[in-house]
Amino acid sequence: MIAKARSQTLQWTTLAPALAFVLLAATWGRSLPTALVVLVALFLAAAVLAAVHHAEVIAHRVGEPFGSLVLAVAVTIIEVALIVTLMADGSEKNATLARDTVFAAVMITCNGIVGLCILVGALRHRVAVFNAEGTGAAFSAIATLATLSMVLPTFTTSKPGPQFSTTQLVFAATASLIVYGLFVGTLTVRHRDYFLPLTSEGKVLEEHAHPPTARAAWFSLGLLGVALVAVVGLAKGVSPTIERVVADAGLPASVVGVVIAMLVLLPETIAAVRSAARDRMQTSLNLAHGSALASIGLTIPAVAVASAWLSGPLVLGLDATHMILLALTIAVGTLTVMPGRATPLQGGVHLAIMAAFLVLAISP
């Protein structure tokens, strides 16, 4: 019975990404009626769940923290490609697309995912335990890149508006790539032990289950790529419907970006919460902070290069409200990381900041 159930699960997780990709190819660039939007949404959910399954297979094969890095980078690369594609039309409304997407990703990962994982982990295991050295290093990199890329443009004077001059943009892009490269090197080579899951006593958590074969891991890697392309592509496909619903409800256009960012980050959210429930809080934080760093470290250089041939403006500077939320996130995140242990209170505080971000997105 167990073998049969596993066989069915494997078959389902194999078919879902393939069918979602076929649906994406059939609907790409077309106006979707309501019935087809519902079908797309169902396949989008199936692709998300399949992506989580295949990411966990890869993570089990390569071990932590490599598994978390694979999912974070894969999602971000596809997300960056989507941003550049949408900005290519030079429309004025897309001038803030990169900024809004990156900021939403930072808020969702550093408050939404982190807060939810701490809450789940601490409620199930009394306290959520993680390595303060590795988590603190990752969070300091997020704070630095977010400030350099999205706060400084509001105060520079070389160019009117919250925009970088060419020299400043080259610096921000270079700094983002270098810091992200240093983070990856620290995560995977020099201080890998700082990012391994810990027990409640502070010891490295041992993996007892047998890892999948190399063939199974490569198979899952291919299906993970197909699933993530389908997730991002189908999310873009339903975005006109989301835009229409948002406009009919009289909500700001920025809400669309938040909704799409939440859809794109859904695989990481599910994987992180499941890790927290299994008392692997460090894996959850690796996913959350790795996604935030990848979003900044890859998006800013990509749009900097793309700005050489894009005709529209590139607005990266945050407004006052969002700068306050970013400052609060950095302050609270620092206090959460320093002890290396967190209770449900810290999780609730992060979720309160996330709720404030959502409320202000709906009612600026």
Side-chain angles (χ1 to χ4, degrees), residues 311-362:
S311 58
L314 177 60
V315 177
L316 292 176
L318 297 172
D319 57 29
T321 302
H322 287 162
M323 280 191 285
I324 291 173
L325 287 176
L326 180 61
L328 184 60
T329 298
I330 293 173
V332 172
T334 301
L335 295 174
T336 297
V337 166
M338 286 176 61
R341 304 168 71 87
T343 65
L345 174 60
Q346 282 101 322
V349 171
H350 281 282
L351 290 176
I353 300 174
M354 179 64 191
F357 167 67
L358 294 176
V359 169
L360 291 174
I362 295 172

Coordinates of all heavy atoms in Angstrom, one line a residue, residues 311-362:
S311 N 13.8 51.9 -23.0 CA 13.6 53.3 -23.3 C 12.9 54.0 -22.1 O 13.1 55.2 -21.9 CB 12.6 53.4 -24.5 OG 11.4 52.7 -24.3
G312 N 12.3 53.3 -21.2 CA 11.6 53.9 -20.1 C 12.5 54.2 -18.9 O 13.6 53.7 -18.9
P313 N 12.0 55.0 -17.9 CA 12.8 55.3 -16.8 C 12.9 54.1 -15.8 O 12.1 53.2 -15.9 CB 12.0 56.4 -16.1 CG 10.6 56.2 -16.5 CD 10.7 55.6 -17.9
L314 N 13.9 54.1 -14.9 CA 14.1 53.1 -14.0 C 14.1 53.7 -12.6 O 15.1 54.3 -12.1 CB 15.4 52.3 -14.2 CG 15.8 51.2 -13.2 CD1 14.7 50.1 -13.2 CD2 17.1 50.6 -13.5
V315 N 13.0 53.6 -11.9 CA 12.8 54.2 -10.5 C 13.1 53.1 -9.5 O 12.3 52.1 -9.4 CB 11.4 54.8 -10.4 CG1 11.2 55.3 -9.0 CG2 11.1 55.8 -11.4
L316 N 14.1 53.3 -8.7 CA 14.4 52.3 -7.6 C 14.2 52.8 -6.2 O 14.1 52.0 -5.3 CB 15.9 51.9 -7.8 CG 16.3 51.1 -9.0 CD1 17.8 50.9 -9.0 CD2 15.5 49.8 -9.1
G317 N 14.1 54.1 -6.0 CA 14.0 54.7 -4.7 C 12.6 54.5 -4.1 O 11.6 54.6 -4.7
L318 N 12.6 54.1 -2.8 CA 11.4 53.9 -2.0 C 10.8 55.2 -1.5 O 11.5 56.2 -1.4 CB 11.6 53.0 -0.8 CG 12.1 51.5 -1.1 CD1 12.5 50.9 0.2 CD2 11.0 50.7 -1.8
D319 N 9.5 55.2 -1.3 CA 8.9 56.4 -0.7 C 9.0 56.3 0.8 O 9.5 55.3 1.4 CB 7.4 56.5 -1.1 CG 6.6 55.3 -0.7 OD1 6.9 54.6 0.3 OD2 5.6 55.0 -1.4
A320 N 8.6 57.3 1.5 CA 8.8 57.4 3.0 C 8.2 56.3 3.7 O 8.8 55.7 4.7 CB 8.3 58.8 3.5
T321 N 6.9 55.9 3.3 CA 6.2 54.8 4.1 C 7.0 53.5 4.0 O 7.2 52.8 5.0 CB 4.8 54.6 3.5 OG1 4.1 55.9 3.6 CG2 4.1 53.6 4.2
H322 N 7.5 53.2 2.8 CA 8.2 51.9 2.6 C 9.5 51.9 3.3 O 10.0 50.9 3.8 CB 8.3 51.6 1.1 CG 7.0 51.2 0.5 ND1 6.8 51.2 -0.9 CD2 5.9 50.7 1.1 CE1 5.6 50.7 -1.1 NE2 5.0 50.5 0.0
M323 N 10.2 53.1 3.3 CA 11.5 53.2 4.0 C 11.3 52.9 5.5 O 12.1 52.3 6.2 CB 12.1 54.6 3.8 CG 12.8 54.7 2.4 SD 13.8 56.1 2.3 CE 12.6 57.4 2.1
I324 N 10.2 53.4 6.1 CA 9.9 53.2 7.5 C 9.7 51.7 7.7 O 10.2 51.1 8.7 CB 8.6 54.0 8.0 CG1 9.0 55.5 8.0 CG2 8.2 53.5 9.3 CD1 7.8 56.3 8.3
L325 N 8.9 51.0 6.9 CA 8.7 49.6 7.0 C 10.1 48.8 6.8 O 10.3 47.8 7.6 CB 7.7 49.1 5.9 CG 6.3 49.5 6.2 CD1 5.4 49.0 5.0 CD2 5.7 48.9 7.4
L326 N 10.9 49.2 5.9 CA 12.2 48.6 5.8 C 13.1 48.8 7.0 O 13.7 47.8 7.5 CB 12.9 49.2 4.5 CG 14.3 48.6 4.2 CD1 14.2 47.0 4.0 CD2 15.0 49.2 3.0
A327 N 13.1 50.0 7.5 CA 13.9 50.3 8.8 C 13.4 49.4 9.9 O 14.2 48.9 10.7 CB 13.8 51.7 9.1
L328 N 12.1 49.3 10.1 CA 11.5 48.5 11.1 C 11.8 47.0 10.9 O 12.1 46.3 11.9 CB 9.9 48.7 11.1 CG 9.2 48.0 12.3 CD1 9.7 48.5 13.6 CD2 7.7 48.2 12.1
T329 N 11.8 46.6 9.7 CA 12.1 45.2 9.4 C 13.6 44.9 9.8 O 13.9 43.8 10.4 CB 11.9 44.9 7.9 OG1 10.5 45.0 7.6 CG2 12.4 43.5 7.6
I330 N 14.5 45.8 9.5 CA 15.9 45.6 9.8 C 16.1 45.6 11.3 O 16.8 44.8 11.8 CB 16.8 46.7 9.1 CG1 16.7 46.6 7.6 CG2 18.2 46.7 9.6 CD1 17.4 47.7 6.8
A331 N 15.5 46.5 12.0 CA 15.6 46.6 13.5 C 15.1 45.3 14.1 O 15.8 44.7 15.0 CB 14.9 47.8 14.0
V332 N 13.9 45.0 13.8 CA 13.2 43.8 14.4 C 14.0 42.5 14.0 O 14.2 41.6 14.8 CB 11.7 43.7 14.0 CG1 11.1 42.4 14.5 CG2 11.0 44.9 14.6
G333 N 14.4 42.4 12.7 CA 15.1 41.2 12.3 C 16.4 41.0 13.0 O 16.8 39.9 13.3
T334 N 17.1 42.1 13.2 CA 18.4 42.1 14.0 C 18.2 41.5 15.4 O 18.9 40.7 15.9 CB 19.0 43.5 14.1 OG1 19.2 43.9 12.7 CG2 20.3 43.4 14.8
L335 N 17.1 42.0 16.1 CA 16.8 41.6 17.4 C 16.4 40.1 17.4 O 16.6 39.4 18.4 CB 15.7 42.5 18.1 CG 16.2 43.9 18.3 CD1 15.0 44.7 18.8 CD2 17.3 44.0 19.3
T336 N 15.7 39.7 16.4 CA 15.3 38.3 16.3 C 16.4 37.3 16.1 O 16.5 36.3 16.7 CB 14.3 38.1 15.1 OG1 13.1 38.9 15.4 CG2 13.9 36.6 15.0
V337 N 17.4 37.8 15.3 CA 18.5 36.9 14.9 C 19.6 36.8 16.0 O 20.1 35.7 16.2 CB 19.2 37.5 13.6 CG1 20.5 36.8 13.4 CG2 18.3 37.2 12.4
M338 N 19.8 37.8 16.7 CA 20.9 37.9 17.7 C 21.0 36.7 18.7 O 22.0 36.1 18.9 CB 21.0 39.2 18.4 CG 21.5 40.4 17.5 SD 21.4 42.0 18.4 CE 22.5 41.7 19.8
P339 N 19.8 36.4 19.3 CA 19.9 35.3 20.4 C 20.1 33.9 19.8 O 20.5 33.0 20.5 CB 18.6 35.4 21.1 CG 18.0 36.7 20.7 CD 18.5 37.0 19.3
G340 N 19.7 33.7 18.5 CA 19.8 32.3 18.0 C 18.6 31.4 18.4 O 18.6 30.2 18.1
R341 N 17.7 32.0 19.0 CA 16.5 31.3 19.5 C 15.3 32.3 19.4 O 15.4 33.5 19.6 CB 16.6 30.8 20.9 CG 17.8 29.9 21.2 CD 18.1 29.7 22.7 NE 17.1 28.9 23.3 CZ 17.1 27.5 23.3 NH1 18.2 26.9 22.7 NH2 16.2 26.8 23.9
A342 N 14.1 31.8 19.1 CA 13.0 32.7 18.9 C 11.7 32.0 19.5 O 11.6 30.7 19.4 CB 12.7 33.0 17.4
T343 N 10.8 32.8 20.0 CA 9.5 32.3 20.5 C 8.4 32.8 19.6 O 8.6 33.5 18.7 CB 9.3 32.9 22.0 OG1 9.2 34.3 21.8 CG2 10.5 32.6 22.9
P344 N 7.2 32.3 19.9 CA 6.1 32.8 19.1 C 5.9 34.3 19.1 O 5.4 34.8 18.1 CB 4.9 32.1 19.8 CG 5.4 30.8 20.4 CD 6.8 31.2 20.8
L345 N 6.4 35.0 20.1 CA 6.3 36.4 20.1 C 7.0 37.1 18.9 O 6.5 37.9 18.2 CB 6.8 37.0 21.4 CG 6.9 38.5 21.5 CD1 5.5 39.1 21.4 CD2 7.6 38.9 22.8
Q346 N 8.2 36.6 18.7 CA 9.0 37.2 17.5 C 8.3 36.9 16.2 O 8.3 37.7 15.3 CB 10.4 36.6 17.5 CG 11.4 37.2 18.5 CD 11.6 36.4 19.7 OE1 10.6 35.7 20.2 NE2 12.8 36.4 20.2
G347 N 7.7 35.7 16.1 CA 7.0 35.3 14.9 C 5.8 36.3 14.7 O 5.6 36.7 13.6
G348 N 5.1 36.5 15.8 CA 3.9 37.4 15.7 C 4.3 38.8 15.3 O 3.6 39.5 14.6
V349 N 5.5 39.3 15.8 CA 5.9 40.7 15.5 C 6.2 40.8 14.0 O 5.8 41.8 13.4 CB 7.2 41.0 16.4 CG1 7.8 42.3 15.9 CG2 6.8 41.1 17.9
H350 N 6.9 39.8 13.5 CA 7.2 39.8 12.1 C 6.0 39.8 11.2 O 5.8 40.5 10.2 CB 8.2 38.7 11.7 CG 9.6 38.9 12.0 ND1 10.4 39.7 11.3 CD2 10.4 38.5 13.1 CE1 11.6 39.7 11.8 NE2 11.6 39.0 12.9
L351 N 5.0 39.0 11.6 CA 3.7 38.9 10.9 C 3.0 40.2 11.0 O 2.2 40.6 10.1 CB 2.9 37.7 11.4 CG 3.5 36.3 11.1 CD1 2.6 35.2 11.7 CD2 3.5 36.1 9.5
A352 N 3.1 40.9 12.1 CA 2.4 42.2 12.2 C 3.0 43.2 11.2 O 2.3 44.0 10.6 CB 2.6 42.7 13.7
I353 N 4.3 43.2 11.0 CA 5.0 44.1 10.0 C 4.5 43.7 8.7 O 4.2 44.6 7.8 CB 6.5 44.0 10.1 CG1 7.0 44.4 11.5 CG2 7.1 44.9 9.1 CD1 8.4 44.3 11.8
M354 N 4.4 42.4 8.4 CA 3.9 41.9 7.1 C 2.5 42.4 6.9 O 2.1 42.8 5.8 CB 4.0 40.4 7.0 CG 3.5 39.8 5.7 SD 4.5 40.3 4.3 CE 3.5 39.7 3.0
A355 N 1.6 42.3 7.9 CA 0.3 42.8 7.8 C 0.2 44.3 7.5 O -0.6 44.7 6.7 CB -0.5 42.4 9.1
A356 N 1.1 45.0 8.2 CA 1.1 46.5 7.9 C 1.5 46.8 6.5 O 0.9 47.7 5.8 CB 2.1 47.1 8.9
F357 N 2.4 46.0 5.9 CA 2.8 46.2 4.5 C 1.6 45.9 3.6 O 1.4 46.7 2.7 CB 4.0 45.2 4.2 CG 4.2 45.1 2.7 CD1 4.7 46.2 2.0 CD2 4.0 43.9 2.1 CE1 5.0 46.0 0.6 CE2 4.3 43.7 0.7 CZ 4.8 44.8 0.0
L358 N 0.9 44.9 3.9 CA -0.3 44.5 3.0 C -1.4 45.6 3.2 O -2.0 46.0 2.2 CB -0.8 43.1 3.4 CG 0.1 41.9 3.1 CD1 -0.5 40.7 3.6 CD2 0.4 41.8 1.6
V359 N -1.6 46.0 4.4 CA -2.7 47.0 4.6 C -2.3 48.3 3.9 O -3.2 49.0 3.2 CB -2.9 47.3 6.1 CG1 -3.8 48.5 6.3 CG2 -3.5 46.1 6.8
L360 N -1.1 48.7 4.0 CA -0.6 50.0 3.3 C -0.5 49.8 1.8 O -0.6 50.8 1.1 CB 0.7 50.4 3.9 CG 0.7 50.9 5.4 CD1 2.1 51.1 5.9 CD2 -0.2 52.1 5.5
A361 N -0.4 48.6 1.3 CA -0.4 48.4 -0.1 C -1.8 48.6 -0.6 O -2.1 49.1 -1.7 CB 0.1 47.0 -0.5
I362 N -2.8 48.2 0.2 CA -4.2 48.3 -0.2 C -4.7 49.7 0.1 O -5.5 50.3 -0.7 CB -5.1 47.3 0.6 CG1 -4.7 45.9 0.2 CG2 -6.6 47.5 0.4 CD1 -5.3 44.8 1.1

